Amino acid sequence: MTRLIFLGPPGAGKGTQAKQLSHSCDVPHISTGDIFRAAVAQQTELGKKAQSYLNSGELVPDELTLGLVRERLAVEDTEQGWILDGFPRNVEQATFLDELLQEIEQPLDCVVNLEAHDEVVLSRLIQRGLVEGRSDDTEDTIRNRLDVYRKNTEPLIDFYRNRQKLVSVNSNQPIEKVAEDLLKVVEI
Ligand code: ADP
């Protein structure tokens, strides 16, 4: 059984590592960012509402985000576990998730905190903006995402440390080395 959360600033490599690990563990990789980007691309109702938040690097409001996670965790493919990437992103979302996991009797294994320095994440995101053309990987939006991360998401490090769920991995390293260190700490 694998039920993990990935925490860390934008550009820390959450998506990359979560995707790889979800393949090796054969559990779904659930990225709220990917879900929102797909909704924006398809211009669904959710996408239309979420678009401006993604473009500015603000958090999509909880009333659009919480229900989506509840529905995703009710899909059958989550029976053997899941890896959450980009959720929770603030204390309200973490509290909601705590209650939801109790309700559906799916206890969390651990929270992986990917630690990366500001200059490392900045250069990775600028590079990704050039290569992939992601509309939120522009310098102004990146700075805002880092501010939003510090204000809203970083407090979750203590939130999960207090629940004895937190493990940390040095993410200032090449992808393969981070993946290797990750396997050692998650013990799967
Ligand atoms: P990154 O971690 O590099 O910022 P993500 O794909 O996780 O990339 O998130 C991209 C954007 O999607 C965020 O800036 C935010 O607007 C939105 N988003 C993703 N997850 C959440 C969430 N849990 N709550 C609110 N907004 C979210």
Side-chain angles (χ1 to χ4, degrees):
M1 190 61 67
T2 312
R3 298 193 198 100
L4 302 176
I5 292 173
F6 273 72
L7 268 188
K14 298 183 299 289
T16 305
Q17 299 296 335
K19 208 173 293 164
Q20 281 190 17
L21 194 63
S22 80
H23 282 300
S24 14
C25 302
D26 199 22
V27 294
H29 165 218
I30 302 176
S31 156
T32 42
D34 284 353
I35 295 172
F36 286 133
R37 273 186 293 279
V40 170
Q42 291 163 20
Q43 283 295 294
T44 62
E45 282 309 305
L46 173 68
K48 286 181 199 159
K49 290 180 189 150
Q51 187 157 17
S52 62
Y53 299 98
L54 266 82
N55 287 338
S56 60
E58 292 295 314
L59 294 185
V60 176
D62 287 347
E63 66 249 37
L64 295 178
T65 307
L66 301 181
L68 179 152
V69 171
R70 174 188 285 278
E71 279 174 28
R72 184 61 189 88
L73 287 179
V75 178
E76 246 176 54
D77 67 348
T78 58
E79 268 170 17
Q80 296 307 314
W82 34 258
I83 297 180
L84 279 176
D85 157 16
F87 185 93
R89 238 176 166 95
N90 60 29
V91 171
E92 292 73 25
Q93 293 183 4
T95 307
F96 166 86
L97 184 67
D98 251 11
E99 289 167 9
L100 175 63
L101 295 182
Q102 277 194 29
E103 182 188 318
I104 61 179
E105 297 178 0
Q106 294 197 7
L108 181 65
D109 293 322
C110 80
V111 178
V112 180
N113 180 30
L114 293 183
E115 295 178 324
H117 300 132
D118 275 7
E119 58 282 13
V120 171
V121 303
L122 264 174
S123 75
R124 284 181 189 167
L125 292 172
I126 289 169
Q127 182 62 23
R128 185 172 70 186
L130 295 173
V131 175
E132 294 180 18
R134 222 175 96 167
S135 64
D136 60 348
D137 284 342
T138 57
E139 203 159 335
D140 281 352
T141 305
I142 291 169
R143 288 194 191 286
N144 193 36
R145 283 156 63 204
L146 283 171
D147 286 346
V148 168
Y149 166 77
R150 273 191 213 100
K151 180 165 169 272
N152 297 283
T153 314
E154 211 166 48
L156 297 186
I157 295 176
D158 278 338
F159 182 98
Y160 287 115
R161 190 181 282 131
N162 291 339
R163 285 164 170 70
Q164 268 98 46
K165 292 288 182 193
L166 196 80
V167 296
S168 287
V169 172
N170 174 8
S171 212
N172 301 291
Q173 314 182 89
I175 291 175
E176 300 72 32
K177 181 72 174 85
V178 177
E180 193 185 313
D181 288 359
L182 178 62
L183 281 179
K184 288 181 197 150
V185 298
V186 294
E187 298 167 348
I188 40 174

